[in-house]
Amino acid sequence: MGAHLQPLALRLLALTFPLVAKGFSDETLEKAAKSEGYCSRILRAQGTRREGYNEFSLRVEGDPEFYKPGNSYRVTLSAATPAYFRGFTLIALKEGKEGDKEEDHAGSFQIIDEEETQFMSNCPVAVTESTPRRRTRIQVFWTAPPTGTGCVILKASIVQKRIIYFQDEGSLTKKICEQDSASEGVTDKPILDCCACGTAKYRLTFYGNWSEKTHPKDFPRRTNHWSAIIGSSHSKNYILWEYGGYASEGVKQVAELGSPVKMEEEIRQQSDEVLTVIKAKAQWPAWQPLNVRAAPSAEFSVDRHRHLMSFLTMLGPSPDWNVGLSAEDLCTKDCGWVQKVVQDLIPWDAGTDSGVTYESPNKPTVPQEKIRPLTSLDHPQSPFYDPEGGSIKLVARVVIERIARKGEQCNIVPDNIDDIVADLAPEEKEEDDTPETCIYSNWSPWSACSSSTCEKGKRMRQRMLKAQLDLSVPCPDTQDFQPCMGPGCSDEDGSTCMMSDWITWSPCSVSCGMGTRSRERYVKQFPEDGSMCKVPTEETEKCIVNEECSPSSCLVTEWGEWDECSASCGTGMKRRHRMIKMTPADGSMCKAETTEAEKCMMPECHTIPCLLSPWSEWSDCSVTCGKGMRTRQRMLKSAAELGDCNEELEQAEKCMLPECPIDCELTEWSQWSECNTSCGKGHMIRTRMIKIEPQFGGTACPETVQRTKCRVRKCLRGPGMEKRRWKEARDKRRSEQAKKNLDSEQYPVCRLKPWTAWTECSTLCGGGIQERYMMVKKRSKSTQFTSCKDKKELRACLE
């Protein structure tokens, strides 16, 4: 991240010390002021906190008390509803160390989501937020330090608005010690028993995010899928799989073959330690929009003895790569049941096959290795490889949500409103008896009720039959009806009070500090049996306006109601506003936020999807050699009356065939040279030059030098006569040269320099050539003398 996106924790630190100075000792502030590095400053800051303060928590997956050197652990920093945080700092220290030296830090963090987290620029061993915004949870991996490090303290600081919370004990600090050799092989899972009462029922929903768009490198287009999900709710005495452990035969068959049969057999053999076997269907292909195919889900139960859940599914095709959760604890320390768990998943290696690509041939790992998370530096051929060691993009997300509790509950901490609503909501369990040979779109939303009063009416929803794979098996109706009544009415028994919706909250009773506000509702319909309504028609709650009430404070109004969501379906944004009532008396600027925005969720967007044929095979490349294009098509099978389909029906991509052959290209032949003797028999030569060398199998170059015989008059005997004839030939050449020079002087617009001397012979012994040049000295600008060019002469070497 750039320097302009400096972490919020760092930017607010200087602002925070004056705000919370009352919570710091003089000694602490003095130490912080003397510290030069931000690591030290953040770590030495000590903050006071009230008893029972547990809105924020730092958790290591599995809640281990001991770590195995070199193993990786998922670390989660979270806020309980309705709390949130805008920034944070996470660091790991050797026990008893200050953190102002590099050797004080233990292990290393690995970023999971670069949009949420990054390493701190002024303290590279620490993790902080990528951008300041509201958040309730972040996750990173922490790799334990080598043997001999001892105990490690994982510490977090939280930035909420302009207040930083530090904690040296409690829920924002986690101590984890090195496992000694005597306890080697002992699992890192929690050893504390669950204290919750009754049972809880959960729904697991798996959202795959592995596709060619998100993970384009070597993506297997035709065979990508998620295998069937297999897992269980179980006790701490049984572990399906874990980082740093070895894969069982059942895990191996899931990891390599995508087969859950052996894994289910192993789970059922642990009947005393298992409460529910978790199973969900495989997904072919790996990703489709949710309005085309619903995310796979499964329901399971937990109790006091079997309060952990684990599952896995293979990312296929792959050597032995999977995603999943291991021993996720759904029992809280407050003797209750977790309301919701959301975990982003990266792939892990089962340690049974040594392949490095999606479709590597089988290569058993001997001896078998431990289960470990994949990293971006495993192998250059890996589809997740990043030479800079960045984080692996997430491939899936799992959501585990409590849908019911049964039996007497004994948790000592009162439930929040989310817990109450979840248990009051009727348990939805629609039996789907649709034959597998009938392929439908999702159901549309329910229509409005046909009755606008308290008389009974009906409402309707519909879906489209996309395909009937077996004509002998009938497909159920495409319409569904349900009885209903007008708004505010109910078809429950006659002793029920019909109430209106709550009216908007009244303004806070104070303009500064803590006050109260109230809201009302009224009875729309009294019970038919004449009894009185005992349902409350008014409720009050505490409200805070302008936490700081000093003369230098900026006074603002309460927040207004939220605007409508910007989207009519799916995810959108909503905003609310407030006004500044009074600026600070000291004339300083008012820094209070007057607009607040957050995401809002509307009902899922239901559209009847385009029904398309599969893509055709890619066409042949448009060229027979070199670079070209190829295309593929698919057809629209949906009925035209369903509306326009915006899906693309044709795709094109570049294709590359072997390079086209390039033939040799030559210049024209030169003029024949003079005979290389002044008398008797000799030879003349001519040459041509290579313009383009042959490439990629093109035609080879033919000869570039030709020789032919020549005969001059007979040589007279005697050295004097031979010398005289050589002199006559020389004089003749000089005469011709003088004539050429005279011609050039008649045309002053094209002036040439004198001939250069002859070059050395191209060969040392027979058959060579010599060259000389006449260069243009001055060239006319007139178009009448375009032949004014440099000249070149060749001759055979004189023997």
Side-chain angles (χ1 to χ4, degrees):
M1 302 295 291
H4 63 286
L5 290 179
Q6 202 174 23
L8 182 64
L10 181 56
R11 297 201 312 270
L12 291 183
L13 185 66
L15 299 174
T16 304
F17 278 112
L19 293 174
V20 294
K22 293 181 180 180
F24 297 90
S25 65
D26 293 338
E27 181 182 358
T28 298
L29 289 174
E30 184 179 353
K31 287 183 179 180
K34 291 180 179 179
S35 175
E36 296 180 357
Y38 175 71
C39 288
S40 302
R41 222 164 64 213
I42 242 341
L43 290 165
R44 295 180 187 215
Q46 309 288 325
T48 58
R49 63 183 181 92
R50 61 182 183 275
E51 289 298 321
Y53 181 82
N54 60 356
E55 285 93 335
F56 307 111
S57 64
L58 181 66
R59 180 173 179 254
V60 179
E61 183 179 19
D63 294 329
E65 289 191 357
F66 303 96
Y67 67 82
K68 293 180 181 178
N71 275 17
S72 295
Y73 300 84
R74 187 192 301 268
V75 179
T76 303
L77 180 61
S78 59
T81 305
Y84 65 90
F85 55 95
R86 295 184 181 273
F88 70 93
T89 304
L90 181 60
I91 204 160
L93 289 175
K94 297 176 183 177
E95 187 176 27
K97 298 296 183 181
E98 292 289 332
D100 48 5
K101 300 177 182 177
E102 184 177 353
E103 56 267 25
D104 290 355
H105 303 273
S108 60
F109 290 104
Q110 179 181 342
I111 301 298
I112 295 178
D113 187 350
E114 292 179 344
E115 293 184 359
E116 287 287 335
T117 55
Q118 67 174 352
F119 291 107
M120 185 175 286
S121 58
N122 289 16
C123 182
V125 293
V127 178
T128 188
E129 76 282 352
S130 294
T131 54
R133 64 173 183 81
R134 283 194 175 198
R135 49 173 55 83
T136 58
R137 182 177 61 93
I138 63 94
Q139 292 181 337
V140 295
F141 275 117
W142 175 69
T143 301
T147 303
T149 303
C151 293
V152 175
I153 308 296
L154 293 169
K155 300 178 67 174
S157 63
I158 291 293
V159 179
Q160 189 185 46
K161 292 185 179 178
R162 295 181 61 184
I163 300 175
I164 300 182
Y165 295 95
F166 300 95
Q167 201 163 292
D168 279 341
E169 59 183 14
S171 60
L172 284 178
T173 297
K174 176 71 177 178
K175 178 179 178 180
I176 179 171
C177 295
E178 182 180 348
Q179 186 180 69
D180 58 31
S181 57
S183 60
E184 189 71 35
V186 178
T187 179
D188 286 342
K189 300 306 166 187
I191 58 174
L192 295 177
D193 291 331
C194 174
C195 58
C197 300
T199 63
K201 190 170 186 179
Y202 288 87
R203 179 182 293 115
L204 175 151
T205 306
F206 182 84
Y207 299 94
N209 190 38
W210 175 54
S211 67
E212 188 173 11
K213 182 178 180 180
T214 59
H215 299 77
K217 183 180 179 183
D218 301 333
F219 187 78
R221 291 181 175 176
R222 298 185 181 181
T223 55
N224 62 89
H225 68 283
W226 293 105
S227 72
I229 292 174
I230 183 69
S232 71
S233 56
H234 56 91
S235 73
K236 63 183 181 181
N237 299 322
Y238 172 52
I239 301 299
L240 276 73
W241 70 272
E242 63 177 337
Y243 287 132
Y246 291 97
S248 66
E249 183 61 30
V251 172
K252 177 181 177 181
Q253 290 194 16
V254 174
E256 294 187 10
L257 308 175
S259 171
V261 177
K262 181 64 177 178
M263 186 78 253
E264 183 175 354
E265 179 183 321
E266 291 180 359
I267 292 172
R268 295 193 183 279
Q269 288 175 353
Q270 301 286 333
S271 56
D272 291 342
E273 308 299 334
V274 172
L275 183 59
T276 308
V277 178
I278 300 171
K279 299 165 66 176
K281 293 181 179 179
Q283 299 179 84
W284 291 79
W287 182 87
Q288 279 188 323
L290 293 178
N291 61 348
V292 176
R293 182 184 67 196
S297 63
E299 295 180 0
F300 64 94
S301 298
V302 291
D303 61 16
R304 175 180 289 190
H305 177 57
R306 293 152 296 191
H307 52 94
L308 309 176
M309 74 80 58
S310 302
F311 83 93
L312 69 156
T313 175
M314 179 193 75
L315 177 148
S318 68
D320 57 347
W321 300 340
N322 310 263
V323 299
L325 290 181
S326 174
E328 183 69 26
D329 195 351
L330 299 176
C331 179
T332 69
K333 295 180 180 179
D334 300 321
C335 302
W337 297 111
V338 172
Q339 170 61 31
K340 188 174 184 179
V341 175
V342 179
Q343 291 274 29
D344 292 320
L345 306 175
I346 65 171
W348 48 268
D349 189 306
T352 61
D353 191 290
S354 299
V356 296
T357 66
Y358 289 126
E359 299 179 282
S360 294
N362 287 336
K363 187 179 179 182
T365 302
V366 181
Q368 183 175 336
E369 296 179 352
K370 294 180 179 181
I371 295 173
R372 64 172 183 85
L374 293 179
T375 74
S376 61
L377 293 173
D378 285 339
H379 195 281
Q381 295 181 8
S382 167
F384 305 106
Y385 181 72
D386 179 359
E388 296 181 358
S391 60
I392 290 182
K393 286 186 178 179
L394 306 173
V395 297
R397 169 176 287 185
V398 63
V399 177
I400 303 170
E401 193 162 15
R402 200 183 73 218
I403 55 177
R405 291 182 297 188
K406 297 180 180 179
E408 183 179 354
Q409 302 295 312
C410 57
N411 53 308
I412 58 175
V413 175
D415 287 338
N416 59 38
I417 189 66
D418 291 336
D419 294 331
I420 297 170
V421 171
D423 289 326
L424 290 178
E427 191 174 334
E428 297 181 5
K429 180 67 176 178
E430 294 186 5
E431 295 294 337
D432 187 1
D433 56 357
T434 303
E436 292 186 356
T437 56
C438 299
I439 309 300
Y440 289 94
S441 67
N442 285 353
W443 284 107
S444 68
W446 287 104
S447 67
C449 188
S450 61
S451 172
S452 59
T453 66
C454 290
E455 297 294 328
K456 287 189 176 181
K458 63 180 180 180
R459 59 179 183 169
M460 179 190 74
R461 62 178 181 173
Q462 54 188 354
R463 59 183 176 178
M464 183 181 72
L465 178 62
K466 295 167 61 177
Q468 188 172 358
L469 305 180
D470 187 349
L471 297 178
S472 64
V473 179
C475 293
D477 295 334
T478 57
Q479 291 184 328
D480 187 20
F481 296 90
Q482 189 180 71
C484 60
M485 299 176 70
C489 302
S490 171
D491 57 358
E492 297 180 9
D493 61 84
S495 63
T496 304
C497 290
M498 298 297 126
M499 307 299 295
S500 70
D501 293 334
W502 286 103
I503 299 173
T504 305
W505 286 102
S506 67
C508 196
S509 61
V510 297
S511 59
C512 189
M514 180 177 290
T516 59
R517 64 177 184 172
S518 62
R519 63 177 181 175
E520 299 176 344
R521 60 180 175 177
Y522 59 91
V523 179
K524 293 183 65 176
Q525 182 178 322
F526 286 92
E528 295 179 0
D529 59 8
S531 61
M532 296 295 293
C533 281
K534 298 182 181 179
V535 179
T537 58
E538 182 178 356
E539 66 179 10
T540 61
E541 69 174 15
K542 293 179 180 179
C543 54
I544 299 177
V545 184
N546 299 307
E547 295 182 9
E548 296 183 33
C549 303
S550 63
S552 61
S553 300
C554 176
L555 300 184
V556 295
T557 63
E558 291 184 76
W559 286 109
E561 295 296 319
W562 287 104
D563 296 339
E564 291 186 2
C565 191
S566 61
S568 57
C569 63
T571 304
M573 295 295 294
K574 62 180 182 179
R575 290 176 171 78
R576 62 178 182 175
H577 309 275
R578 62 182 178 182
M579 299 177 64
I580 297 175
K581 294 175 64 177
M582 184 181 301
T583 56
D586 59 7
S588 59
M589 293 295 293
C590 188
K591 298 181 181 179
E593 297 177 354
T594 57
T595 301
E596 191 173 48
E598 67 178 25
K599 289 183 179 179
C600 50
M601 291 295 297
M602 300 299 286
E604 181 183 350
C605 296
H606 291 272
T607 57
I608 297 177
C610 301
L611 185 56
L612 300 165
S613 68
W615 284 107
S616 66
E617 295 295 324
W618 286 104
S619 67
D620 293 335
C621 198
S622 60
V623 296
T624 57
C625 60
K627 296 179 181 179
M629 297 294 292
R630 64 177 186 171
T631 60
R632 64 176 182 175
Q633 296 82 28
R634 59 182 175 180
M635 300 182 63
L636 178 64
K637 298 170 67 176
S638 305
E641 57 268 16
L642 294 178
D644 295 334
C645 180
N646 296 324
E647 296 290 335
E648 60 180 346
L649 301 179
E650 183 172 4
Q651 287 182 339
E653 71 175 13
K654 295 179 181 179
C655 51
M656 184 72 180
L657 295 178
E659 293 286 353
C660 299
I662 299 175
D663 297 335
C664 176
E665 283 192 24
L666 300 167
T667 62
E668 295 295 326
W669 285 106
S670 68
Q671 296 295 322
W672 286 103
S673 70
E674 296 178 355
C675 195
N676 68 331
T677 63
S678 59
C679 64
K681 295 180 180 180
H683 64 264
M684 301 183 297
I685 66 170
R686 66 176 181 176
T687 62
R688 55 183 175 180
M689 309 297 291
I690 297 175
K691 294 170 63 178
I692 299 179
E693 295 280 356
Q695 297 183 61
F696 311 117
T699 305
C701 291
E703 61 181 348
T704 58
V705 178
Q706 285 185 343
R707 178 182 301 186
T708 186
K709 294 179 180 179
C710 60
R711 185 180 181 86
V712 189
R713 58 189 172 182
K714 291 183 180 181
C715 296
L716 298 177
R717 294 186 178 183
M721 184 61 69
E722 182 66 26
K723 184 175 180 180
R724 187 177 68 181
R725 293 196 179 279
W726 178 85
K727 185 176 180 180
E728 288 175 355
R730 185 190 64 183
D731 294 341
K732 182 180 178 182
R733 288 195 300 270
R734 287 179 177 176
S735 176
E736 291 176 351
Q737 178 63 41
K739 184 179 178 181
K740 290 181 181 178
N741 292 342
L742 182 60
D743 292 340
S744 65
E745 291 176 359
Q746 293 175 0
Y747 301 99
V749 292
C750 182
R751 295 181 181 176
L752 300 174
K753 295 180 181 179
W755 283 103
T756 64
W758 289 101
T759 63
E760 294 183 1
C761 190
S762 60
T763 62
L764 296 176
C765 184
I769 61 172
Q770 291 176 294
E771 299 176 348
R772 68 175 181 174
Y773 304 93
M774 179 180 286
M775 312 300 291
V776 174
K777 185 175 182 181
K778 182 177 181 182
R779 180 180 286 111
S780 171
K781 297 182 180 179
S782 171
T783 57
Q784 298 176 3
F785 298 95
T786 56
S787 61
C788 185
K789 299 179 180 178
D790 296 338
K791 296 182 180 182
K792 174 182 176 182
E793 281 189 346
L794 301 174
R795 74 176 183 185
C797 298
L798 297 176
E799 295 180 348

